[in-house]
């Protein structure tokens, strides 16, 4: 009793003259998102005894999870607060039942088909109708459909969803394995033995089992929408819109309709395209459908098409395509989707030095990718709103990002996410949902994934923001390079190693690649991240994309970011504390230290000991923190400066390097992590810095061996007349030296412009008593500024900056008497977001900052502390 697989047989059906079919009533859709209850499965007797209140029916929100229902009814504490994560673990180890009553009219019962449709059931579920099991599921990433007409009756019907614990379902299999498949993160709660993880064997969001930035919450429940679809003899299964050809004169599209028919017969299929200017193109075909699966393709031609462009390269015009299935003059089913017209090319090198090249061309323009990696928005996906997704993407665009990589350890994001990306002009690199674990080698697993992949790619195809489908995160590179994988391969022997390796190659090189070819052919496919598409060693600077973790995870100096030019840096990162207001929210107090239990609970790197790594880097670069507030400030300065150094270096490496995506944009819960925007939506200093170092034109400075390398970068498509200069100053503000000149910035390019000796800028002034200021101008407009430091910041004798603040409502003007390095507006426990933060002020400079907050201006003024590196001493 499983759902029918998606179409595998595609039919090109010619235009036929046929008599109109008998009139058919339109398909009706009844949402099933209300009036659900949940309880512990009575068959789970131990859990029912241990949690008596949850063994009785109680209210549940659908879409949602058992864990959300338990939190909402006060049966478990909020796991995002304090050290409460442990208190919710039992829910993921328990069997559960959902139920609701479905009342049907005689008219509904009279329909030929009554399909129950579940967009996601997480994960091992049995669906019963009036006590009769009708469907069993085993993949949280798939849509499931079952025609339940034979079990339904007029009046009240009971729909029951029984969920088994995913961990316990697979536990016996894993325990029986002599060498279980290597997974991701071991449990901190003893529910799985170390090194024996169930997650590799289950098609479910991998981060549920925890990650080094998020908690372990193994969700169970109907996590996406459910509905009843009533229809008669023909149903439109899906409509895909394929871009066949695109040039300045016309766009040729194919509107592909997958139709299921109970019996052979005539039908009319209609397609219309409405352009951004309101113009409509329409076409239709009279066809004869065969019994079973059919594909009807209707060609459409758009004259003078408007191309979707990534942000910074033009506008984002969108087209709406509507399709209808007409029988006997009545529209029996319809579909609609929004598309954009553009071409995407994956830049790959040919023979010679560029063989390892990797990057993106959109509409023929090579685009340097500037952005970040996106992890899931929340550990409870059902409560993520379209507004929250759009807000985070808008924040990314505000920081001059043009690409977001959707990381593969979460879940496939809803259409609203891609709608927002389309409108904002953000390019999306979308991983398939594989987080790093070695995948099972059996054919049944791959078949399950094939259906999943086809459904998900088809669902979002046509979104112009999607510029890459990638097989997953670190699966292939882990298999090749990681020590635990090498030990596993040695332990299982050559034959089993070959079987597992071949299984992964078939999955990532054939199954997923074919899903993209079949359902989103205008988008390139890449077998994983990092990868070289099976053309050589993975995760190197020489070819493909790179994940670089020598800095942070490897405890190497931040300066190591400057040692090479990778072809495309798709992951690199550096942690920082969130703001004090966020810490107060999860800790309940600011009377804590980084070594307290609650702070370790919200720091998942190194199983809670990651705050030691934060302190290690703070001490290495900035000195000893004085208190918690200073610790937060220094960690955020360190993060911003480290990622700035790396990102600007990547940009200066163009065209060898064609992308820089830092880890990570966001958080799934209130955490100490690599994010530039914390769970509460507050920008860390890194996000403000990204707005500067991802600007369209930048000046890059790198100091080494008593000289300063100067490079200029422009992402504009036309030349820009510019002027650059680097000045050396003593700490009292005296200018010591200057170099610069006029230059024309070449379009879409980076170029080294000078190597300036220290003697020319600083004379004989000691490095600790001097600093440089590099600036890039277009006319009188300052495009970008960057400070030059000759030694580690902790060794520089930063002056007391003499900062003052003048308030006018919610605007505060900050003025510096002397150099103010890394100015932070710290509002303590008062939630507030300044319009700019973490900036430098030269002697005598002022900056007006708007502060968004629910607090009053008077409260903001009292709460604010101005911090800078010089102000600490």
């Amino acid at each position: 009793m499983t759902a029918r697989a998606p179409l595998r047989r595609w039919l090109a059906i010619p235009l036929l003259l046929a008599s109109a079919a008998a009139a058919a009533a339109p398909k009706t859709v009844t949402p099933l998102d209300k009036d659900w209850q949940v309880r512990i499965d009575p068959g789970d007797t131990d859990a029912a005894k241990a949690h008596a209140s949850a063994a009785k029916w109680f209210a549940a929100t659908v879409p949602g999870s058992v864990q959300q229902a338990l939190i909402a009814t006060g049966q478990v504490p909020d796991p995002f607060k304090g050290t409460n994560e442990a208190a919710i673990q039992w829910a993921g180890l328990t069997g559960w039942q959902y139920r609701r009553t479905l009342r049907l009219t005689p008219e509904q019962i009279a329909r030929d088909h009554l399909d129950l449709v579940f967009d996601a059931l997480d994960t091992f579920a049995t669906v019963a109708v009036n006590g009769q099991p009708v469907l069993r599921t085993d993949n949280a990433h798939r849509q499931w459909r079952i025609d339940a007409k034979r079990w339904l009756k007029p009046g009240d019907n009971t729909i029951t969803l029984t969920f088994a614990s995913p961990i316990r379902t697979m536990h016996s299999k894993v325990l029986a394995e002599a060498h279980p498949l290597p997974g991701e993160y071991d449990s901190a709660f003893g529910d799985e033995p170390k090194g024996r993880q169930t997650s590799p064997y289950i098609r479910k969001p991998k981060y549920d089992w925890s990650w080094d930035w998020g908690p372990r919450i193994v969700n169970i429940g109907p996590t996406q929408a459910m509905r009843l679809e009533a229809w008669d003899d023909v149903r439109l299964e899906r409509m895909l819109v394929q871009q066949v050809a695109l040039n300045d004169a016309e766009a040729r599209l194919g509107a592909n309709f997958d139709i299921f028919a109970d019996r052979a017969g005539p039908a009319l299929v209609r397609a219309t395209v409405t352009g951004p200017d309101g113009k409509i193109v329409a076409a239709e075909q009279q066809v004869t459908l065969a019994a079973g699966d059919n594909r009807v393709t209707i060609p459409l031609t758009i004259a003078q098409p408007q191309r979707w462009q990534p942000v910074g390269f033009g506008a984002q015009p969108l087209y709406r395509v509507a399709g209808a299935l007409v029988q006997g003059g009545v529209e029996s089913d319809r579909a609609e989707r929004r598309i954009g017209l553009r071409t995407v090319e994956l830049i790959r090198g040919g023979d010679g030095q560029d063989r390892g090249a990797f990057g993106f061309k959109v509409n023929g323009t090579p685009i340097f990718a500037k952005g970040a990696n996106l992890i899931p928005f929340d550990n409870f996906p059902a409560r993520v709103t379209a507004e929250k997704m759009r807000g985070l993407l808008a924040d990314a665009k505000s920081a001059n990002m043009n690409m977001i990589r959707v990381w593969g350890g979460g879940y496939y994001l809803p259409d609203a996410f891609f709608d927002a990306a389309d409108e904002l002009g953000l390019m999306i690199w979308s991983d398939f949902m594989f987080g790093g674990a070695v995948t099972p080698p059996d054919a049944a697993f791959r078949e399950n994934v094939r259906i999943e992949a086809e459904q998900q790619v088809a669902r979002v195809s046509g979104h112009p923001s999607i510029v890459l489908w990638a097989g997953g995160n670190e699966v292939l590179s882990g298999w090749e390079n990681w020590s635990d994988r090498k030990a596993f391969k040695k332990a299982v022997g050559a034959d089993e190693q070959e079987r597992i390796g071949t299984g992964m190659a078939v999955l990532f090189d054939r199954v997923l690649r074919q899903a993209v070819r079949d359902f989103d052919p205008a988008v390139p496919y890449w077998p994983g991240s990092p990868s070289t598409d099976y053309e050589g060693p993975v995760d190197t600077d020489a070819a493909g994309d790179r994940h670089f973790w020598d800095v942070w995870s490897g405890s190497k100096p931040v300066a190591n970011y400057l040692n090479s030019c990778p072809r495309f840096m798709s992951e690199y990162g550096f942690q920082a504390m969130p703001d004090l207001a966020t810490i107060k929210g999860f800790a309940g107090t600011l009377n804590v230290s980084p070594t307290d239990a609650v702070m370790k609970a919200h720091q998942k790197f190194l199983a809670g000991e990651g705050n030691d790594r934060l302190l290690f880097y703070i001490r290495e670069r900035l000195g000893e923190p004085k208190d918690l507030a200073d610790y937060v400030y220094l960690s955020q300065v360190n993060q911003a400066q480290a990622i700035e150094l790396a990102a600007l270096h990547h940009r200066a490496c163009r065209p060898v390097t064609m992308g820089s995506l830092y880890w990570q944009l966001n958080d799934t819960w209130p955490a100490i992590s690599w994010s530039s925007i914390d769970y509460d939506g507050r920008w860390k200093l890194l996000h403000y810095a990204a707005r500067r170092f991802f600007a369209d034109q930048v000046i890059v400075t790198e100091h080494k061996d008593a000289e300063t390398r100067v490079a200029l970068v422009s992402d504009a498509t036309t030349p820009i007349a510019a002027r650059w200069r680097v000045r050396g100053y003593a700490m009292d503000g005296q200018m010591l030296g200057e170099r610069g000149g006029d230059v024309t910035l070449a379009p879409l390019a980076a170029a080294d412009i000078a190597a300036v000796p220290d003697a020319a800028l600083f004379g004989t002034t000691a490095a600790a008593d001097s600093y440089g200021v590099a600036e890039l101008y277009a006319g009188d407009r300052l495009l970008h500024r960057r400070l030059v430091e000759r030694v580690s910041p902790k060794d520089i004798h930063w002056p007391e900056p003499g900062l003052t603040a003048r308030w006018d409502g919610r605007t505060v003007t900050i003025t510096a008497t002397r150099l103010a390095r890394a100015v932070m507006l710290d509002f303590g426990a008062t939630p507030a977001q300044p319009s700019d933060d973490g900036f430098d002020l030269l002697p005598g400079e002022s900056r007006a900052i708007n502060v968004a907050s629910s607090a009053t201006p008077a409260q903001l003024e009292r709460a604010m502390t101005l911090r800078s590196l010089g102000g600490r001493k």
Side-chain angles (χ1 to χ4, degrees), residues 763-847:
T764 59
T765 303
D769 297 316
S770 60
Y771 63 94
V773 179
E775 295 173 317
L776 180 63
Y777 288 88
D780 294 330
R781 183 165 62 97
L782 177 63
L783 299 175
H784 186 236
R785 173 192 285 169
R786 176 162 166 75
L787 262 63
V788 178
E789 298 167 342
R790 300 161 65 192
V791 292
S792 177
K794 73 177 180 180
D795 296 324
I796 297 177
H797 300 151
W798 301 111
E800 168 59 49
L803 293 171
T804 59
R806 186 180 75 254
W807 284 88
D808 181 8
R810 296 184 182 277
T811 299
V812 58
T813 300
I814 312 298
T815 302
T817 305
R818 292 167 291 279
L819 172 68
R821 180 69 161 131
V823 177
M824 180 185 191
L825 284 66
D826 184 352
F827 291 93
T830 301
Q833 181 161 302
S835 58
D836 198 5
D837 213 353
F839 48 84
D840 302 319
L841 289 177
L842 301 184
E845 278 193 334
S846 297
R847 186 162 304 185

Side-chain angles (χ1 to χ4, degrees), residues 328-340:
V330 176
E331 185 180 285
S332 60
D333 206 351
R334 66 178 289 104
E336 190 171 293
R337 64 171 59 216
R338 198 174 61 175
I339 66 167

Side-chain angles (χ1 to χ4, degrees), residues 30-208:
T30 304
L32 301 178
D33 57 353
K34 304 290 185 184
D35 304 320
W36 285 91
Q37 295 178 304
V38 67
R39 69 175 180 184
I40 293 174
D41 181 357
D44 194 341
T45 55
D46 290 342
K49 290 177 182 177
H51 306 279
S53 61
K56 302 174 184 177
W57 292 110
F58 60 98
T61 299
V62 170
S65 66
V66 165
Q67 286 85 345
Q68 286 173 258
L70 291 169
I71 295 167
T73 54
Q75 298 184 68
V76 297
D78 186 344
F80 286 14
K81 304 290 187 181
T83 57
N84 292 337
E85 182 186 351
I88 204 169
Q89 298 306 310
W90 67 271
L93 299 168
T94 301
W96 296 91
Q97 282 189 342
Y98 282 77
R99 76 172 182 187
R100 67 154 286 169
T101 298
L102 175 61
R103 180 165 296 176
L104 296 178
T105 65
E107 291 77 16
Q108 288 175 302
I109 289 292
R111 301 300 297 269
D112 289 352
H113 298 272
L114 294 172
D115 289 0
L116 293 172
V117 183
F118 307 90
D119 286 340
L121 295 173
D122 192 356
T123 294
F124 297 108
T126 299
V127 179
V129 176
N130 294 322
Q132 177 63 46
V134 300
L135 174 68
R136 291 188 174 90
T137 75
D138 61 356
N139 187 330
H141 299 303
R142 278 177 57 180
Q143 183 192 84
W144 300 88
R145 175 186 293 270
I146 187 70
D147 187 350
K149 177 178 172 65
R150 76 182 86 168
W151 299 288
L152 292 166
K153 65 183 188 301
D156 289 347
N157 296 265
T158 300
I159 309 298
T160 306
L161 314 176
T162 302
F163 290 90
S165 162
I167 296 173
R168 289 185 171 171
T169 297
M170 298 303 298
H171 213 183
S172 59
K173 173 181 175 60
V174 174
L175 291 176
E177 295 277 0
H179 302 286
L181 295 174
E184 287 100 356
Y185 288 89
D186 285 327
S187 174
F189 302 100
D191 51 335
E192 291 183 329
K194 301 295 184 183
R196 291 183 173 271
Q197 300 168 15
T198 54
S199 65
Y201 301 87
I202 304 175
R203 290 308 297 147
K204 171 179 175 55
K206 298 302 180 185
Y207 80 118
D208 280 9

Side-chain angles (χ1 to χ4, degrees), residues 4 32 39 46 70 72 79 156 171 224 309 312 316 399 409 522 527 552 635 681 725-726 728 762 789 853 861:
R4 184 169 56 85
L32 301 178
R39 69 175 180 184
D46 290 342
L70 291 169
D156 289 347
H171 213 183
Q224 293 186 35
Q309 297 281 5
Q316 291 78 45
W552 184 263
S635 75
R725 71 183 183 194
V726 182
F762 306 106
E789 298 167 342
S853 176
E861 184 173 358

Side-chain angles (χ1 to χ4, degrees), residues 19 30 87 159 215 367 412 417 517 555 580 616 720 759 779 781 811 853-854:
S19 60
T30 304
I159 309 298
I367 297 177
Y412 296 96
F417 171 84
R517 285 174 175 167
S555 299
L580 290 170
F616 165 79
I720 295 176
R781 183 165 62 97
T811 299
S853 176
S854 59

Side-chain angles (χ1 to χ4, degrees), residues 354-393:
D354 286 337
R355 187 169 182 80
F358 181 89
F360 294 87
K361 282 185 181 180
V362 179
N363 297 319
T365 301
I367 297 177
F368 189 98
K370 304 178 294 189
N373 288 262
L374 180 84
I375 62 174
F377 290 87
D378 199 299
N379 281 89
F380 302 112
R383 68 184 186 187
V384 178
T385 64
E387 291 73 22
K388 180 172 182 176
M389 291 186 289
R390 185 182 183 89
L392 191 69
L393 290 179

Side-chain angles (χ1 to χ4, degrees), residues 591-724:
N591 187 26
V592 291
S593 76
T595 58
D596 287 352
V598 68
M599 299 293 280
K600 289 186 175 184
H602 289 258
Q603 164 64 275
K604 294 299 182 180
F605 180 66
L606 294 180
E609 300 303 323
N611 291 337
D612 291 343
R613 187 65 52 85
L614 271 174
L615 184 58
F616 165 79
Y617 275 110
I618 290 172
R619 286 171 170 166
E620 181 185 66
R621 295 192 71 251
L622 300 173
E624 189 71 24
K626 298 181 295 184
D627 52 28
L628 178 65
D630 197 37
Y631 191 109
V632 168
Y633 167 68
L634 293 178
S635 75
Q636 290 201 21
V637 170
N638 228 12
Q639 181 191 40
Q641 292 183 350
I643 301 303
E644 177 187 40
L645 183 76
L648 287 175
H649 178 72
H650 299 153
R651 297 188 68 186
C653 286
R654 181 176 184 160
V656 173
T657 304
M658 284 301 292
S660 182
L661 308 180
Y662 67 73
W663 185 271
Q664 64 207 55
L665 180 64
N666 62 313
D667 281 322
T668 69
W669 76 320
I672 302 159
S673 80
W674 297 266
S675 69
S676 62
I677 301 176
D678 73 22
Y679 178 76
D680 292 327
R682 299 187 181 100
W683 291 21
K684 298 180 186 176
L685 297 187
L686 169 57
H687 207 75
Y688 295 98
R691 188 164 57 193
R692 296 185 280 271
F693 63 66
F694 280 151
D696 285 346
Q697 288 80 40
V698 293
I699 184 167
V700 182
T701 59
E702 296 174 359
H703 186 272
K704 184 179 181 181
D705 298 332
E707 69 176 19
T708 299
R709 173 202 179 194
V710 181
L712 304 179
V713 181
S714 178
D715 289 335
T717 56
T718 57
I720 295 176
R723 175 171 52 91
W724 71 275

Side-chain angles (χ1 to χ4, degrees), residues 219-287:
N219 283 309
I220 293 174
T223 50
Q224 293 186 35
M226 299 182 286
R227 58 195 171 274
L228 176 74
E229 294 185 0
W231 55 285
D232 292 321
D233 56 337
V234 178
R235 177 173 62 83
L236 178 55
E237 185 146 333
R238 68 163 65 94
M239 178 185 71
L240 299 174
V241 182
Q242 181 178 351
Q243 181 181 290
V244 178
L246 176 64
N247 56 49
D248 291 341
E250 67 177 19
R252 287 186 285 120
L253 308 178
N256 300 321
F257 295 84
D258 293 338
I259 301 169
F260 180 78
D262 285 339
R263 59 190 69 87
L268 179 70
V269 183
R270 178 182 298 140
T272 61
V273 180
T274 304
D277 55 3
K279 293 182 179 178
I280 296 175
V281 174
E284 61 184 36
Q285 284 189 15
Q286 189 77 37
V287 300

